[in-house]
Amino acid sequence: MAPGGASKIAILSVYDKTGLLDLAKGFINNGVRLVASGGTAKLIREAGFKVEDVSELTRAPEMLAGRVKTLHPAVHAGILARNLDSDDKDLLDQKIDKVDFVVCNLYPFQDTVAKINVTIAEAVEEIDIGGVTLLRAAAKNHDRVTVLSDPTDYPEFLEELEKGDISTKSRKGYMLKAFEHTAAYDFAISSFFRERYAGDGDQSLPLRYGANPHQKPALVHMHDSPLPFKVLCGAPGYVNLLDALNAWPLVKELKLALGFPAAASFKHVSPAGAAIGVPLNAHEKQVYMVEDIDGLEHSQLAQAYARARGADRMSSFGDMIALSDEVDVTTAKIISKEVSDGVIAPAYSKSALEMLSKKKGGKYLVLQVDPNYEPPAQETRMVWGIELSQRRNDVVISPKDTFSRIITPKDHAGLSDSASRDLTVATIALKYTQSNSVCYALNGQVIGLGAGQQSRIHCTRLAGDKADIWWMRFHERTRNLKFKSGLKRPDKSNAIDLLCNGQLPSKGLERENFERVFEEIPQDFTAQEREDWLAKLSEVAVSSDAFVGIPAPFNRQNSRLQMTFSFPLPITFIGPPDQG
């Protein structure tokens, strides 16, 4: 209400005129003076209701073809004025009335830019300036002013107005809606111009498609800073980036924790393998199919990727690779021999980049990541139109600090450096899986990972089965298989997996295809051969992101009998760090 005691004032400026006339009638019936702009005033006046033009309040005409209507001190001082004597004096001196209600919704910018071949000029003309300012001013001063931005709120508002006044609770709710309305509006504008003015990979980048080929369009963008990676070759898809942006922090964290170059092989948002650059012995070179790579012993990064890729070659087929250090020629040579979708690393030597850029007919995805980029502490994702937010999983895994709480045996002298190293590899790998995961590690690499299963028992079995297959590949008979000349690496990997997993059928098409790749058809492993060889695997680290699927003394789910059973096992149990 104005300082002189005049009736309350409502300013109306709406694009969506749904319910406008009922609202105007309700205002007038409650003695509210109506002031409106442009088409809003015209519709109210044509319906027979008394309404003033904004120009009568401002004593200044609309100008610039409607670009300037409500941007005036007579409007915004009236909205922003508080119930303070000093504010009342300022208004009285300038002969400005207080505004009590603001009704405003904005031009449909989203609808305009959704049109095919919309021009920049057309989009610019749909950017509402005065309306946004009205909403923000009224929402800021919601302690006194009621702001309406959603026509569906009109009936409830009028019911409350009929009773005498608008409650503080209602004004707070309307204020929140107004700010959400302007935020969504500004987001739509910035998104449009981000694609037009920074859509070349600076802040925004179109993707080939989403999670599936029919999910178009798809893009990746940053709100207020450049993307922390550049595309050096190829064109990324949605899942490529899910893999790359999970794999990169994994190898960065491994390098930081253990001081070795690190590599990861990612498929469908979980690591198929992860490793650090521990030197390879002759058998490992053979099993990982890198015995013919020149200079391997001089590149820790290449050895890290050989381990990461070699952990589970079946799952790594078509992987997204992450490498912690500058990619050298030796590492690029290994990658060039494998079926892979892409690689992300902080840098590439000139020769390595040239080699990788020829892969897949020049379409191989090569990403260069900013190694100094740190994401915000809070992360969000949208599921079914609903936004979820949580603190990013930024727990620090340290070989010295994370694995010091030995539960059993009580007289244990402490973990060896290699055990701490392997537990670090396994536990960091788990951070970058879907929930409900178990990981086995040895020699600085993942050897079996079970991720994202509904049952943790099945996760444990899956990880264990993969670790068994990994170890069976080191059996002398496996290492000395006689393949036909010219056989491709994926075909070799598939045949080795069939032989080592113990599930090769005795007859049928799968058996025939298996035998077809050999010069000398191998005999199946007998159950006793498998048992004898697997018994030789030891010193394996296993980590779980919750309780493990075996009796363990720190599992709350375990009975006293299970806990008693676990103590004589030849296993060192490490509990989670004390939480203080």
Side-chain angles (χ1 to χ4, degrees):
M1 183 177 287
S7 61
K8 291 186 175 182
I9 296 176
I11 291 184
L12 302 91
S13 180
V14 297
Y15 179 86
D16 181 355
K17 296 176 174 59
T18 302
L20 175 63
L21 297 182
D22 288 337
L23 179 66
K25 181 179 179 181
F27 273 134
I28 290 172
N29 289 344
N30 284 276
V32 178
R33 173 185 165 196
L34 302 187
V35 180
S37 66
T40 304
K42 183 174 183 291
L43 182 64
I44 294 173
R45 190 173 289 119
E46 288 176 348
F49 299 120
K50 183 178 180 182
V51 60
E52 303 171 40
D53 290 318
V54 171
S55 58
E56 296 179 49
L57 193 68
T58 63
R59 295 180 288 279
E62 292 184 8
M63 61 183 68
L64 305 181
R67 280 193 169 199
V68 179
K69 301 174 185 177
T70 60
L71 295 171
H72 195 282
V75 172
H76 291 287
I79 295 171
L80 289 166
R82 297 154 295 183
N83 289 325
L84 299 176
D85 291 342
S86 58
D87 283 8
D88 288 344
K89 182 178 184 305
D90 286 343
L91 294 182
L92 188 61
D93 290 345
Q94 301 299 322
K95 298 180 181 179
I96 293 174
D97 294 328
K98 280 184 177 177
V99 174
D100 303 276
F101 308 99
V102 171
V103 183
C104 182
N105 54 67
L106 306 173
Y107 297 160
F109 185 85
Q110 298 94 321
D111 294 346
T112 296
V113 299
K115 296 175 183 176
I116 298 175
N117 297 324
V118 65
T119 66
I120 296 291
E122 289 170 335
V124 165
E125 286 307 312
E126 290 298 328
I127 298 176
D128 196 322
I129 303 300
V132 172
T133 310
L134 283 175
L135 287 169
R136 290 180 63 84
K140 176 176 179 175
N141 203 27
H142 69 281
D143 187 56
R144 181 184 67 79
V145 178
T146 301
V147 56
L148 294 171
S149 60
D150 183 355
T152 63
D153 290 327
Y154 296 170
E156 182 180 290
F157 164 80
L158 288 173
E159 287 181 12
E160 198 166 1
L161 185 64
E162 289 286 346
K163 296 176 183 178
D165 206 354
I166 307 304
S167 69
T168 299
K169 179 180 179 182
S170 294
R171 288 199 306 277
K172 288 178 178 178
Y174 298 145
M175 170 266 202
L176 177 59
K177 267 196 175 183
F179 276 126
E180 287 176 339
H181 186 41
T182 60
Y185 192 74
D186 285 339
F187 178 78
I189 295 170
S190 63
S191 295
F192 175 80
F193 286 102
R194 186 186 303 115
E195 289 185 43
R196 296 304 188 279
Y197 294 163
D200 57 355
D202 181 16
Q203 273 188 258
S204 177
L205 181 70
L207 304 178
R208 287 183 291 123
Y209 50 80
N212 297 288
H214 66 274
Q215 291 178 264
K216 297 178 181 179
L219 61 85
V220 58
H221 70 268
M222 298 283 282
H223 289 299
D224 53 7
S225 63
L227 289 168
F229 63 86
K230 296 178 180 178
V231 179
L232 304 184
C233 184
Y238 187 88
V239 176
N240 291 148
L241 288 184
L242 286 179
D243 286 341
L245 299 179
N246 277 281
W248 163 249
L250 189 162
V251 299
K252 181 179 180 181
E253 189 169 346
L254 278 178
K255 171 76 178 288
L256 185 64
L258 296 170
F260 283 81
S265 171
F266 247 71
K267 280 288 295 295
H268 299 291
V269 206
S270 279
I276 58 172
V278 175
L280 296 164
N281 62 37
H283 286 174
E284 288 171 328
K285 291 178 183 179
Q286 183 183 8
V287 169
Y288 300 153
M289 301 184 182
V290 292
E291 68 270 31
D292 60 340
I293 301 295
D294 293 334
L296 185 61
E297 63 276 10
H298 302 302
S299 173
Q300 289 183 314
L301 187 67
Q303 293 179 86
Y305 180 59
R307 289 185 178 280
R309 178 77 185 208
D312 181 0
R313 291 189 59 82
M314 297 296 289
S315 296
S316 286
F317 182 86
D319 62 350
M320 190 73 200
I321 302 163
L323 301 164
S324 65
D325 290 47
E326 178 177 314
V327 180
D328 54 26
V329 170
T330 307
T331 307
K333 284 180 180 178
I334 300 175
I335 296 173
S336 67
K337 291 176 175 288
E338 302 291 3
V339 177
S340 169
D341 275 359
V343 59
I344 183 169
Y348 300 83
S349 74
K350 182 179 179 181
S351 297
L353 181 58
E354 289 176 354
M355 187 179 298
L356 294 172
S357 297
K358 295 176 182 176
K359 190 172 172 65
K360 294 179 71 172
K363 296 181 180 180
Y364 186 66
L365 179 61
V366 181
L367 302 176
Q368 183 175 359
V369 66
D370 177 1
N372 299 314
Y373 171 74
E374 288 293 336
Q378 201 73 9
E379 61 184 11
T380 60
R381 65 177 295 188
M382 187 171 287
V383 179
W384 201 52
I386 299 168
E387 194 169 275
L388 289 81
S389 176
Q390 67 173 358
R391 182 176 179 83
R392 183 167 56 87
N393 186 1
D394 55 4
V395 63
V396 176
I397 307 300
S398 162
K400 291 184 178 180
D401 301 327
T402 306
F403 309 108
S404 59
R405 186 168 163 246
I406 297 177
I407 307 298
T408 66
K410 294 295 185 182
D411 58 352
H412 198 284
L415 295 178
S416 66
D417 289 344
S418 61
S420 295
R421 174 200 65 197
D422 293 341
L423 278 169
T424 301
V425 170
T427 307
I428 289 176
L430 286 176
K431 281 181 62 176
Y432 297 94
T433 67
Q434 306 302 305
S435 179
N436 217 27
S437 302
V438 175
C439 184
Y440 291 85
L442 182 65
N443 298 337
Q445 69 172 88
V446 169
I447 63 170
L449 193 148
Q453 303 299 303
Q454 290 82 357
S455 163
R456 188 166 295 276
I457 299 296
H458 290 157
C459 281
T460 307
R461 290 175 183 168
L462 178 60
D465 288 345
K466 289 188 175 189
D468 285 350
I469 294 170
W470 171 83
W471 182 235
M472 290 300 299
R473 287 160 54 201
F474 284 84
H475 193 284
E476 182 180 12
R477 285 216 285 120
T478 310
R479 289 188 289 106
N480 292 309
L481 291 171
K482 304 298 182 184
F483 290 104
K484 288 183 177 178
S485 177
L487 193 67
K488 294 181 179 179
R489 294 162 78 91
D491 295 326
K492 290 181 180 179
S493 297
N494 185 53
I496 291 170
D497 186 77
L498 285 171
L499 179 66
C500 292
N501 66 21
Q503 299 177 19
L504 181 63
S506 60
K507 59 182 179 179
L509 182 61
E510 190 171 28
R511 181 77 193 199
E512 292 171 7
N513 288 335
F514 169 77
E515 294 179 350
R516 191 174 291 126
V517 303
F518 294 102
E519 289 288 354
E520 298 178 14
I521 299 173
Q523 294 296 313
D524 294 7
F525 286 109
T526 66
Q528 189 61 52
E529 281 180 310
R530 290 179 59 83
E531 182 179 342
D532 291 345
W533 180 249
L534 292 174
K536 296 179 181 181
L537 179 60
S538 63
E539 306 300 318
V540 176
V542 58
S543 187
S544 172
D545 59 7
F547 73 90
V548 293
I550 57 174
F554 49 81
N555 281 351
R556 293 184 194 146
Q557 292 84 350
N558 287 334
S559 66
R560 184 177 299 275
L561 177 62
Q562 287 176 312
M563 292 174 66
T564 302
F565 168 76
S566 69
F567 281 87
L569 290 174
I571 300 174
T572 301
F573 287 96
I574 314 298
D578 290 321
Q579 300 301 312

